[in-house]
Amino acid sequence: MQILENQSLKNHNTFGIDAKARYFVEIDSVSTLRSVLQLAHDYPKMFVLSGGSNMLLTGDLNALVLFINNKGIEIVSETDAHVFIRVMAGENWHEMVQWTLERDFGGLENMSLIPGNTGTAPIQNIGAYGVELKDCFVECEAMNVASQEIRSFNKEDCQFGYRDSYFKNEGKGTYIITSVTFQLTKKNHLLNTSYGAIESELNAMKVTLPSIQDVSRAVIAIRQSKLPDPKVLGNSGSFFKNPVVTKEAFETFNNTYPEAPFYKVSDETYKIPAGWLIEQCGFKGKRYGDAGVHTKQALVLVNYGNASGEELLALATRIMEAVAAKFGIAIAPEVNVIRN
Ligand code: EPU
């Protein structure tokens, strides 16, 4: 184990923010993680980093940054119809999804090309095109930061919600996820193509009887057409969550803006796409210095090169204020805004 000092995190966060870590250590195994956590008291504080795809660093980190990079995928058991795979936290999410598709294991295809690593996926119950992580999730293992004991969390323990889980609430800062186990199908795959854009993409691809690999290809094409590649243009996917409002608030909104898209969540709640609200406020494609709003999807903030975390945060604040003033609806960041 090697502890580096004053390490730039530019290549460790998909926004490409050039913040520095006072101390930095790569975690390549569960035993390294245990050893590092035992040294915790020697450092100002600890900060856990993985794919860096869901965070906005607003300054240097006076901390020991733990870069979670433990690798490995194994089949733990299988039946005639299902396979259970255990994936170590540092595995890149999309590469892992491709690994499953190469073996014709179904379940994760709609979540192709989501940036980030597998170990952080349960924290916000990642999702796309009608499927969420929780749909294939069996359990995850996590190390208690204080005691270094490994605990297993089943689906119920994780309390998954829309971009939400136990690890974002009561469990925040207490555990570091070390592996995730998924249940996938080996045959009779359940395809989820009902999300509008997938059907039309499959039609455009002239696919009539889609395989899970076709669904993945369609999702990749849709994402590439709307969402910027972080390697080309710094970003963190959807910067804001779609607001969930009461039926009453929704009805008032819908009467004024009948053209606005919406999703019914339950009899009492409705989700309104934040991207639509932001676009209506005139922000789509706007650029302030190197901080901007993506031209093709207003929910995504982008770094054109040298934007600081503070500049991106100022833009986010401006957007939240404009949406609140125009629609009376509060939108909140989906990404973790890191303040030192
Ligand atoms: N819309 C606009 N203008 C925009 C963007 C969107 O009018 O600039 C409208 C679209 O026309 C559509 C609606 O808003 O009617 C929803 O847009 P879209 O289908 O692109 O999805 P989203 O609600 O913006 C969510 C997730 C994405 C996920 C997609 C597809 C959240 C916060 N975001 O976006 O997740 O890929 O659905 O399932 O829930 C992420 O979390 O990083 C992410 C990219």
Side-chain angles (χ1 to χ4, degrees), residues 61-78:
L61 292 176
N62 185 26
L64 172 61
V65 171
L66 274 59
F67 169 45
I68 308 295
N69 202 26
N70 57 329
K71 305 277 191 195
I73 307 179
E74 55 171 339
I75 294 175
V76 282
S77 64
E78 54 190 307

Side-chain angles (χ1 to χ4, degrees), residues 18 29 42 54 69 75 116 139 143 159 169 196 206 214-215 241 250 261 299 313 325:
D18 195 10
S29 68
D42 294 342
N54 200 45
N69 202 26
I75 294 175
E139 61 166 22
M143 189 177 285
Q159 298 166 25
N169 298 291
K206 306 219 177 334
D214 291 326
V215 173
K241 285 198 270 196
F250 169 72
L299 201 49
L313 184 58

Side-chain angles (χ1 to χ4, degrees), residues 327-338:
F327 297 102
I329 293 175
I331 58 168
E334 188 214 89
V335 306
N336 292 314
V337 177
I338 312 299

Side-chain angles (χ1 to χ4, degrees), residues 210-225:
S211 63
I212 52 176
Q213 291 79 9
D214 291 326
V215 173
S216 169
R217 278 190 281 274
V219 166
I220 290 172
I222 301 164
R223 288 188 76 95
Q224 284 178 335
S225 72

Side-chain angles (χ1 to χ4, degrees), residues 7-230:
Q7 178 84 358
S8 169
L9 298 175
K10 193 171 168 67
N11 294 328
H12 287 286
N13 69 103
T14 59
F15 256 127
I17 304 286
D18 195 10
K20 283 193 181 57
R22 180 71 187 87
Y23 303 99
F24 180 94
V25 61
E26 179 179 340
I27 307 293
D28 56 7
S29 68
V30 173
S31 62
T32 308
L33 177 60
R34 182 167 288 118
S35 314
V36 169
L37 290 177
Q38 284 164 355
L39 299 174
H41 49 271
D42 294 342
Y43 292 89
K45 61 180 173 185
M46 295 233 185
F47 181 83
V48 182
L49 175 90
S50 186
S53 63
N54 200 45
M55 61 172 62
L56 178 64
L57 295 165
T58 60
D60 293 341
L61 292 176
N62 185 26
L64 172 61
V65 171
L66 274 59
F67 169 45
I68 308 295
N69 202 26
N70 57 329
K71 305 277 191 195
I73 307 179
E74 55 171 339
I75 294 175
V76 282
S77 64
E78 54 190 307
T79 63
D80 195 31
H82 291 101
V83 59
F84 293 78
I85 63 162
R86 181 166 173 260
V87 185
M88 301 313 283
E91 284 287 343
N92 174 273
W93 175 268
H94 179 65
E95 286 169 20
M96 182 277 291
V97 172
Q98 293 306 305
W99 184 96
T100 66
L101 293 170
E102 279 160 23
R103 288 157 182 80
D104 203 33
F105 299 157
L108 302 176
E109 56 281 358
N110 290 45
M111 293 184 285
S112 296
L113 213 62
I114 295 187
N117 288 347
T118 307
T120 39
I123 300 176
Q124 59 153 348
N125 182 27
I126 62 168
Y129 307 104
V131 178
E132 289 183 327
L133 167 124
K134 72 168 170 44
D135 301 328
C136 294
F137 179 92
V138 177
E139 61 166 22
C140 65
E141 287 188 322
M143 189 177 285
N144 184 302
V145 171
S147 68
Q148 291 95 52
E149 272 161 12
I150 292 278
R151 180 182 153 188
S152 171
F153 290 79
N154 65 23
K155 205 189 274 194
E156 202 183 316
D157 298 328
C158 291
Q159 298 166 25
F160 290 124
Y162 167 54
R163 296 294 192 276
D164 204 22
S165 77
Y166 170 83
F167 300 104
K168 251 183 149 172
N169 298 291
E170 298 99 294
K172 194 171 178 170
T174 312
Y175 291 98
I176 297 174
I177 296 173
T178 53
S179 73
V180 186
T181 302
F182 299 97
Q183 176 177 356
L184 305 172
T185 50
K186 283 165 65 180
K187 58 185 185 186
N188 303 329
H189 304 305
L190 288 171
L191 295 188
N192 246 294
T193 54
S194 54
Y195 195 96
I198 296 192
E199 299 247 292
S200 42
E201 190 61 40
L202 287 169
N203 285 339
M205 287 161 58
K206 306 219 177 334
V207 175
T208 41
L209 279 176
S211 63
I212 52 176
Q213 291 79 9
D214 291 326
V215 173
S216 169
R217 278 190 281 274
V219 166
I220 290 172
I222 301 164
R223 288 188 76 95
Q224 284 178 335
S225 72
K226 283 202 205 173
L227 300 167
D229 177 353

